[in-house]
Amino acid sequence: MGHSMPKTFLERKVEMVRENIYRTVTCGELRESNIGDTVRVAGWVENIRDHGGVMFLDIRDHYGVLQVVVHNDEILKDINRECTVTLSGKVVKRDEDTINKKIATGYVEVHTEDIKVLGKCKNNLPFEVMTSTNTSEDVRLKYRFLDLRNPKVHNNIVLRSQIISYLRSKMNDMGFLEMQTPILSTSSPEGARDYLIPSRKHKGKFYALPQAPQIFKQLLMVSGFDKYFQIAPCFRDEDARADRSPGEFYQLDFEMAFATQEDVFAVAEEVLYDTFKKFSDKEVSKPPFKRIPYKESMLKYGSDKPDLRNPLLIVEISDMFEETDFAPFRKKTVRSINVPDCAKQSKKWFKRMEEFALSIGMKGLGYVKVNDDLTFDGPIDKFLKPGDREELIKRNGSKAGDVIYFIADTPDQAPVLAGQIRTEVANRLDLIDKSKFEMCFIVDFPMFEYDENGHLAFTHNPFSMPQGGMDALQNQDPTEILAYQYDIVCNGVELSSGAVRNHDLDIMVKAFDMAGYSEDDLKSKFSSLYNAFQYGAPPHAGMAPGVDRMIMLLTEEENMSEEALIRKRETEGFSGMFALDDYGSGYNTEINLLNLNPKYIKIDLTIVRDIDKDFDKQQLVSNIVEYAHQREAYIIAEGIETKEELLKVLELGVDYLQGYYFGRPCRKEEFIQQYTAVSE
């Protein structure tokens, strides 16, 4: 069994921490076995709580959080949140009602009369450290050092280090040699703009940062090395994408001499399966991963990055409408998608799907519902010829209660649009199994395509070996030639591209000639490979899984987004009401307030804390109370810990109250006993 995350730094065993003037133990290692010990700890002050003359501090370091108790508040006069301190004291067992089972040190606390400030926090915090991920990205990046104090963010950095260490270990065990390729180099086209570095010595000339170590690793194969790998930095001057940071990213780059496509697949399967299994509790596709030809992927899934967790499939039905009188389908590529048990959805649901279709450039979204007697209802039914209904049911595997969607457009656009509809329907109906990682290889990419000017161009990597070699280049229709190119995809995310390299110079010259490049162009643009391949180049192949994309998938936290909540409300049969938790933090902002129209709105404790002293917080709560009451919604104030906070939120008009001022969490039996006694 793997772990969805490595052990949090609250739980990890502490090693190699030397005793010094600042600490004898870390904040994360004290347990009940340490009760009675006198210790010294150091860290950041995460929180300060006043409980009637007794002060509670949460002290945080890299290893965990520790509760510290202070009875003399005079020693806290120079202490505020996020300053660094060192303190000494005795380890004491917590009172039963204060035990915190959520943290490793939750059974003990340190009582101290000796606190020294090591580093002052001189300014107001730009955001709450513990909820930094809810802050806008530009503010987080400006104060990245604070953002990284957040345990969740901190732990992701730790996880990244552990994954990279594990990848290195795996590659070493498999006989790969780790080598570093140059960072300052000449420009090499990789599909994005280069980052250029001016040369001091050679005036007017520039180095380029590598978009990938592609040429270098191929040269290593020609040099006689058998198996290379590198945790390679890649630099590309391109816009940010959902699955890639702008500017730079890292990949597990590897190359193998005298290797076939299947040899590369075997390495990738073992490395990725073992890595995802070790660092996740989710089910992971077992090797061998599915091999899906590019053409099949575009047909069945409408994408070359298919999410195999989505059970919906796209079906080709163009031939059924070759003679149709229905103008939207006439002379078009037509695809269908069968959606099981969808006929029960409301009119509003179908309307929303149509709106989505229009938003992605479709002119409409036709569908039929399959009745119990296998007849159809829906706007497309009247355009079907005799026998069409039976054929549609046969091709789509439809049953009573299903819905068949129709997508019609040009040969280029129809697959893409069908893929978007497939994804959207699955998301709206919650059909995607989030408990697994589904991996596959996309293979048999076309070597060439015609560009918008009608010129033959490389589809992907121009240095890939064409399937069929020189014979294919000389005798096949260029658009029918397949390349030994492949992608590995996980849950709809492309983890890596790769290829069997074209090591034969004659084949390379011919391939470039077909794409409009002369041999002189090849010599000038790619002189290093051109020269090297004249001296006995071995067949070689490789790929480069993205490290950051792997981490993105492994650290993904399931959450109910705004969109998902809206979809839930639209679901047939939904009869509940919404409550908006932690308003004022995270994603629970005005947008969710407007879209969800919640019946209850709970004000986040970061706003309630010290509200009696903060006019801006008072104004914020006053405004939201007025807004809520106009819409017959109720306001809950959470995290009340002082009498002053209580009086102020009551003055501002909140409806319900919650917090340690009224009572601590307890078992149901204790609650009943306590409040029965009060009522009596």
Side-chain angles (χ1 to χ4, degrees):
M1 177 69 74
H3 299 281
S4 56
M5 294 281 286
K7 289 184 178 180
T8 66
F9 57 85
L10 310 181
E11 300 170 330
R12 284 192 304 274
K13 181 180 180 181
V14 180
E15 299 177 351
M16 303 300 291
V17 175
R18 294 174 58 87
E19 296 183 12
N20 58 26
I21 60 173
Y22 303 116
R23 64 185 180 186
T24 59
V25 297
T26 68
C27 293
E29 68 180 284
L30 295 179
R31 303 290 189 271
E32 288 183 279
S33 59
N34 299 108
I35 292 173
D37 294 351
T38 298
V39 299
R40 177 170 288 278
V41 298
W44 286 261
V45 178
E46 183 174 286
N47 202 6
I48 305 172
R49 304 184 301 280
D50 185 350
H51 287 241
V54 180
M55 310 296 290
F56 292 85
L57 281 65
D58 294 326
I59 308 298
R60 179 191 68 246
D61 66 5
H62 174 78
Y63 303 97
V65 177
L66 175 68
Q67 180 167 285
V68 174
V69 181
V70 179
H71 291 89
N72 178 13
D73 60 4
E74 284 295 311
I75 66 176
L76 300 179
K77 61 183 180 181
D78 296 323
I79 293 176
N80 56 357
R81 287 188 300 144
E82 295 306 317
C83 71
T84 53
V85 299
T86 179
L87 60 95
S88 63
K90 181 174 286 189
V91 182
V92 177
K93 185 175 181 178
R94 289 196 191 189
D95 295 338
E96 287 295 326
D97 61 342
T98 66
I99 289 174
N100 184 356
K101 297 180 180 180
K102 294 181 179 180
I103 61 175
T105 61
Y107 287 86
V108 298
E109 59 193 17
V110 172
H111 290 206
T112 183
E113 297 292 333
D114 171 30
I115 301 182
K116 179 182 179 182
V117 176
L118 300 175
K120 297 179 180 179
C121 184
K122 297 183 178 182
N123 301 319
N124 292 330
L125 295 172
F127 49 74
E128 295 290 329
V129 167
M130 298 303 291
T131 57
S132 67
T133 55
N134 302 328
T135 306
S136 63
E137 188 170 319
D138 57 336
V139 177
R140 289 177 66 189
L141 291 176
K142 182 178 180 180
Y143 298 95
R144 184 60 166 165
F145 50 89
L146 291 176
D147 183 40
L148 290 173
R149 294 182 192 177
N150 182 323
K152 290 184 179 179
V153 182
H154 192 98
N155 212 48
N156 285 345
I157 301 298
V158 174
L159 174 65
R160 189 178 192 277
S161 175
Q162 293 181 335
I163 289 175
I164 289 175
S165 178
Y166 183 77
L167 291 172
R168 279 200 168 97
S169 176
K170 282 294 298 183
M171 299 307 288
N172 284 322
D173 290 345
M174 298 175 77
F176 285 79
L177 183 66
E178 183 173 10
M179 305 180 73
Q180 282 71 47
T181 54
I183 297 298
L184 297 178
S185 65
T186 58
S187 178
S188 62
E190 290 281 348
R193 294 182 296 273
D194 288 317
Y195 283 107
L196 301 178
I197 310 296
S199 170
R200 176 187 61 82
K201 187 174 182 180
H202 305 284
K203 300 294 185 183
K205 295 185 180 294
F206 296 82
Y207 297 104
L209 299 180
Q211 296 189 32
Q214 182 66 46
I215 291 177
F216 293 120
K217 69 179 183 179
Q218 290 191 247
L219 291 174
L220 286 172
M221 298 300 101
V222 181
S223 302
F225 296 98
D226 195 61
K227 292 191 287 189
Y228 139 97
F229 89 95
Q230 179 183 189
I231 307 295
C234 302
F235 305 91
R236 299 184 184 183
D237 187 6
E238 59 187 1
D239 295 333
R241 301 196 328 231
D243 58 356
R244 177 178 292 171
S245 299
E248 63 179 290
F249 58 93
Y250 286 79
Q251 57 192 30
L252 172 63
D253 207 282
F254 69 91
E255 198 79 10
M256 307 162 65
F258 305 106
T260 67
Q261 179 171 281
E262 285 298 323
D263 293 322
V264 176
F265 289 0
V267 172
E269 286 168 337
E270 180 172 339
V271 172
L272 292 175
Y273 176 80
D274 288 357
T275 301
F276 275 75
K277 200 68 179 173
K278 178 176 178 61
F279 293 98
S280 173
D281 282 329
K282 292 185 178 182
E283 180 184 345
V284 184
S285 301
K286 293 181 180 179
F289 301 158
K290 291 182 180 178
R291 278 78 160 147
I292 304 174
Y294 169 81
K295 190 174 182 179
E296 179 185 333
S297 184
M298 293 304 297
L299 172 59
K300 287 187 176 181
Y301 311 108
S303 171
D304 59 358
K305 296 180 271 294
D307 188 346
L308 299 186
R309 301 172 303 167
N310 183 346
L312 304 181
L313 296 176
I314 303 167
V315 177
E316 170 64 71
I317 56 172
S318 301
D319 60 300
M320 295 180 59
F321 298 93
E322 289 179 351
E323 307 296 329
T324 185
D325 295 328
F326 187 41
F329 287 8
R330 192 181 304 135
K331 297 181 180 180
K332 296 291 179 64
T333 296
V334 188
R335 303 282 162 84
S336 63
I337 303 173
N338 186 79
V339 187
D341 201 33
C342 185
K344 64 184 180 183
Q345 297 298 324
S346 66
K347 291 182 180 180
K348 186 177 182 180
W349 191 92
F350 286 96
K351 179 70 173 174
R352 296 270 188 178
M353 277 303 306
E354 184 178 4
E355 291 171 352
F356 172 80
L358 294 173
S359 74
I360 62 174
M362 295 179 62
K363 296 180 175 59
L365 182 61
Y367 66 91
V368 293
K369 297 179 180 179
V370 183
N371 299 320
D372 290 342
D373 59 357
L374 301 185
T375 58
F376 289 172
D377 278 335
I380 301 297
D381 183 53
K382 61 184 176 183
F383 300 103
L384 298 177
K385 303 186 303 295
D388 281 353
R389 295 166 186 80
E390 292 79 8
E391 184 65 17
L392 283 170
I393 288 174
K394 178 182 176 181
R395 292 193 189 187
N396 288 277
S398 304
K399 297 180 175 62
D402 293 356
V403 167
I404 303 174
Y405 273 112
F406 299 86
I407 301 92
D409 213 292
T410 64
D412 289 337
Q413 284 298 307
V416 176
L417 295 172
Q420 291 177 280
I421 295 298
R422 171 180 178 265
T423 299
E424 186 68 16
V425 170
N427 283 329
R428 287 178 179 265
L429 296 178
D430 198 23
L431 299 179
I432 296 175
D433 186 353
K434 303 290 180 64
S435 68
K436 60 175 66 175
F437 291 112
E438 285 282 1
M439 301 207 192
C440 65
F441 288 105
I442 306 301
V443 299
D444 298 342
F445 281 88
M447 186 84 179
F448 300 101
E449 63 184 356
Y450 286 103
D451 62 21
E452 61 274 9
N453 298 315
H455 299 144
L456 197 66
F458 290 111
T459 304
H460 290 292
N461 191 327
F463 297 102
S464 304
M465 178 66 77
Q467 297 183 23
M470 183 67 81
D471 182 70
L473 297 180
Q474 292 176 335
N475 299 307
Q476 289 188 25
D477 180 340
T479 60
E480 297 298 318
I481 299 172
L482 304 179
Y484 285 113
Q485 294 173 350
Y486 38 82
D487 289 351
I488 186 165
V489 177
C490 177
N491 293 0
V493 175
E494 178 194 318
L495 286 183
S496 176
S497 292
V500 175
R501 318 302 178 186
N502 189 348
H503 71 284
D504 188 311
L505 196 57
D506 293 334
I507 298 176
M508 186 180 296
V509 170
K510 176 62 177 176
F512 272 78
D513 178 68
M514 293 173 64
Y517 298 91
S518 68
E519 187 167 355
D520 288 338
D521 292 330
L522 189 58
K523 287 180 186 178
S524 63
K525 293 180 180 293
F526 310 103
S527 58
S528 55
L529 282 182
Y530 184 87
N531 291 330
F533 283 5
Q534 299 187 62
Y535 295 91
H540 55 286
M543 68 188 322
V547 172
D548 302 294
R549 292 186 183 182
M550 293 167 61
I551 294 166
M552 177 188 74
L553 289 169
L554 287 165
T555 59
E556 185 179 24
E557 296 182 7
E558 301 292 343
N559 59 70
M560 186 163 284
S561 65
E562 168 197 339
E563 187 178 10
L565 286 170
I566 293 172
R567 288 171 178 164
K568 181 176 281 293
R569 166 170 279 163
E570 295 169 1
T571 300
E572 190 76 18
F574 178 80
S575 61
M577 61 183 68
F578 283 111
L580 190 65
D581 195 17
D582 298 332
Y583 175 77
S585 72
Y587 298 103
N588 288 341
T589 60
E590 285 76 11
I591 298 299
N592 274 341
L593 196 63
L594 294 170
N595 286 334
L596 300 177
N597 191 27
K599 191 67 174 178
Y600 296 89
I601 305 167
K602 183 188 285 188
I603 306 293
D604 189 70
L605 60 85
T606 58
I607 296 175
V608 174
R609 184 178 293 127
D610 297 323
I611 192 172
D612 54 297
K613 306 170 187 174
D614 192 319
F615 176 77
D616 290 337
K617 290 182 177 180
Q618 294 169 21
Q619 192 64 48
L620 177 64
V621 172
S622 177
N623 291 340
I624 190 61
V625 167
E626 181 180 359
Y627 172 88
H629 289 172
Q630 287 176 355
R631 287 154 179 77
E632 299 183 348
Y634 299 98
I635 295 291
I636 306 167
E638 72 171 4
I640 298 172
E641 296 190 351
T642 68
K643 181 178 180 181
E644 290 74 20
E645 291 171 350
L646 167 64
L647 294 175
K648 181 54 66 176
V649 296
L650 286 174
E651 178 187 327
L652 295 171
V654 303
D655 302 290
Y656 297 99
L657 308 166
Q658 178 184 344
Y660 278 7
Y661 183 78
F662 308 102
R664 293 183 173 275
C666 61
R667 291 187 293 273
K668 180 177 73 173
E669 295 79 8
E670 295 174 356
F671 178 88
I672 294 172
Q673 183 179 5
Q674 177 182 353
Y675 285 93
T676 299
V678 169
S679 64
E680 291 175 350

